[in-house]
Amino acid sequence: MQLFFQMRQHIAVALLVAAMFLVGVVKISNAAVPVTEQEAKQQKADSILQITQEYIKRGLYPQAEAQLAAMEQECSPFLNDEQKEKAKDLTGQVQTAMAERRKIAAAIKQSDEFMDKGDASSAKSLLQQVQGSPYLSEAERKMVAESLKKAESGLTQQQQSLEQQAEPQITQSEPNQPHQPQSASTTEPNQPQPQAAEPAPQPQAVVVTQPAPAATQPVAEPNTVSAQQENSYLQEVRRKQAVQISYTKAVVNDALNKTDEALVKKDFEAARSSLRRAVSTIEHNQMLLGDEYAPTKALLTQKEEQVGVEEKNYSAQQIQAKQQEADQITKQLRETMDTQRAQAIQKYMEQAYAFQAEEDYDGAMGQLNQLLAIDPRNQRALIMKKTLENTIRWREQISVQRKSDKEEMELLLEANRQSIPYSKEYNYPRDWKDITEKRKKEPERSPVDAAINKQLDQIVDLSTLTETTPFGEAIEILKKSADPPLSIVVLWKDLSDNAFIQQSTPINMSGLTAIPLRIGLESILKSVSSGGMVPLGYMIQYGTITIATTDNLPTANENRVYDISELNSPPANYDEYNGGMMGG
């Protein structure tokens, strides 16, 4: 039975792999073309998970475990949360099923050993334990049911054999019973007397009341009848023994004939069942067979060995035939896969050329990356990818050069424009110096901003800060170090996206004592951003301190009023002086 299970499993694996290849080919041809490597790996992981589920449905748990291991090795970094959860669930199912399958295999093997030893009761108990297991296939479930029927049949035959064996023992005990004269007088020599073994009290009473002279003749009569009964019993025992021996030989011959018929039909289980019944019969009638027991047992053993050899050869032939069939199917599928692969490569190349013709070099690079994921050594794709990379860099260089030339030309034109000697000049007012100084004065701050600046100049104690203090907690300490507490707003999203700084990021500096609050704030911002590429800064506006990256700080716009009266003044007129001089 174990060998049969293995043969069926090999056949099922080959056919299932063939079916999965066909499903994979159809899905590859119908599925959307992945754009990135992650999408390609996730599609492959989905295919492996579907194959694993199919393996589990068919009871092929070792193959399912191998599929999950391959997916873990190839696609683990690219799996999404749903695929990871599904893989974890399938792994648990496979491990549980394999443990149960090992228990079932051990129970079936032990039941076969019990049946070989003639212990049908123990075999039946083990088979009943695994009969209801959900991890049995339909074919295995039928075979377990048939084995249960055979075990029950063996128990019935053992009971009948025990009853037949007990019958001659009862018969042999009859000659030892006392024989009564009255019963013997009606006994024929060639007929067995089933009632001779029973005591008859009434005839004994008759013998006692007879006269003494007549007692001498009846004394010899009972002895004569007893000898005849003994001969009859011996003949009956020999007859029954001959019948049982004949029956045993008939059972053995019938078993051998049925075994030969079963071997012709390749029904090895039926052949073994016939031989087991014959072995059970000769074991129970071993005493009756005498010297014939050993050669009969040897004949049955030889026939059982023949069954084993023929079953092994037949199984090997079946496995070889199925393997050849599976190899043929696999070869055809590989040819189909190669054709599909070549078509996909051709499609990617055509699309890459189309994108290149449209000067969409990024799209062409995407198609080439997909092609190289299928065939990493494709020379055409590698050469075209290198060419596109050089083209993209060359176009960038051309763009930069054109922009540089344009700016240089603009600068040259502006310089030439500035060097134009205009004939008329502007006439500045007399107080132009005062106007200039007025523009240089710093605009006055609002009262709330002035108050914040005054608080930042306070001397505070920041000794509670340590190198491992989170940035968010340090900001809270700065808020509460001033009286009243400062209003500080941190643009956390800007810090996370551009500077990779979180609230839990350590400040990497020790605490300071007796320093201005402004210096403490600037030191913390500088220390936190020291390991990054983007510096942090702060700005005071409307009574609030805003902390962000320097590029994303809010712009402090102020409304300023300028005196442009000098722009409206009439230009200087030097012709008057020149004319006067010339006129004099």
Side-chain angles (χ1 to χ4, degrees), residues 53 104 115 134 137 167 180 193 196 202 317 439 505 528:
Q53 286 180 329
I104 291 171
M115 289 296 292
S137 64
E167 184 177 350
Q180 301 302 326
Q193 291 296 328
Q202 291 180 357
Q317 293 174 0
R439 292 175 182 171
T505 302
V528 170

Side-chain angles (χ1 to χ4, degrees), residues 11-179:
I11 295 170
V13 168
L15 295 178
L16 181 59
V17 170
M20 289 299 103
F21 271 121
L22 287 174
V23 173
V25 170
V26 174
K27 287 188 176 180
I28 286 174
S29 60
N30 294 334
V33 177
V35 178
T36 64
E37 181 182 5
Q38 182 173 3
E39 292 181 359
K41 293 293 185 180
Q42 288 180 355
Q43 284 189 3
K44 184 175 182 180
D46 288 336
S47 177
I48 293 176
L49 290 174
Q50 291 177 359
I51 293 174
T52 303
Q53 286 180 329
E54 191 65 25
Y55 275 140
I56 292 175
K57 289 180 182 178
R58 294 174 180 264
L60 305 176
Y61 303 107
Q63 289 75 14
E65 186 178 29
Q67 289 291 329
L68 291 173
M71 185 188 70
E72 179 68 21
Q73 184 177 2
E74 296 180 12
C75 309
S76 178
F78 305 96
L79 298 179
N80 54 36
D81 294 339
E82 182 180 357
Q83 290 174 332
K84 290 180 180 178
E85 189 66 25
K86 191 173 183 180
K88 182 179 179 182
D89 180 54
L90 292 177
T91 301
Q93 294 181 23
V94 170
Q95 292 176 352
T96 302
M98 291 185 68
E100 292 296 326
R101 291 283 296 175
R102 285 192 290 270
K103 294 179 182 178
I104 291 171
I108 292 176
K109 181 179 179 181
Q110 192 172 3
S111 68
D112 290 340
E113 294 175 356
F114 283 141
M115 289 296 292
D116 292 338
K117 295 177 182 179
D119 190 358
S121 177
S122 299
K124 179 181 177 181
S125 177
L126 285 174
L127 291 172
Q128 286 177 341
Q129 292 178 7
V130 302
Q131 184 181 18
S133 175
Y135 299 100
L136 282 174
S137 64
E138 291 300 325
E140 293 171 351
R141 202 178 301 280
K142 290 179 181 179
M143 296 188 69
V144 170
E146 292 176 0
S147 299
L148 274 173
K149 290 181 181 179
K150 292 173 183 177
E152 293 173 354
S153 177
L155 286 174
T156 304
Q157 290 180 2
Q158 289 178 6
Q159 178 124 18
Q160 293 175 354
S161 180
L162 290 173
E163 292 175 356
Q164 291 176 1
Q165 189 177 5
E167 184 177 350
Q169 295 177 358
I170 297 173
T171 306
Q172 291 174 4
S173 65
E174 292 177 355
N176 296 327
Q177 299 295 332
H179 304 287

Side-chain angles (χ1 to χ4, degrees), residues 431-441 566:
D431 57 347
W432 63 271
K433 292 184 179 180
D434 296 336
I435 296 173
T436 302
E437 291 298 328
K438 184 178 180 182
R439 292 175 182 171
K440 293 182 179 179
K441 290 183 180 180
E566 68 273 17

Side-chain angles (χ1 to χ4, degrees), residues 289-300:
L289 292 175
D291 295 338
E292 296 182 3
Y293 168 77
T296 305
K297 180 66 179 293
L299 179 62
L300 293 175

Side-chain angles (χ1 to χ4, degrees), residues 490-517:
V490 183
L491 303 182
W492 292 112
K493 180 171 178 57
D494 171 49
L495 300 186
S496 176
D497 293 343
N498 298 315
F500 305 103
I501 297 175
Q502 310 292 335
Q503 296 188 31
S504 58
T505 302
I507 61 174
N508 298 320
M509 63 170 286
S510 301
L512 301 173
T513 58
I515 62 168
L517 182 55

Side-chain angles (χ1 to χ4, degrees), residues 249-261:
K249 291 181 177 179
V251 169
V252 171
N253 292 331
D254 181 67
L256 293 174
N257 293 332
K258 289 184 177 180
T259 300
D260 292 336
E261 294 176 359

Side-chain angles (χ1 to χ4, degrees), residues 358-378:
E358 296 174 359
E359 296 186 357
D360 185 0
Y361 300 109
D362 292 334
M365 288 292 292
Q367 297 299 316
L368 291 176
N369 289 333
Q370 292 301 314
L371 190 153
L372 292 174
I374 299 174
D375 185 8
R377 298 183 179 181
N378 190 287

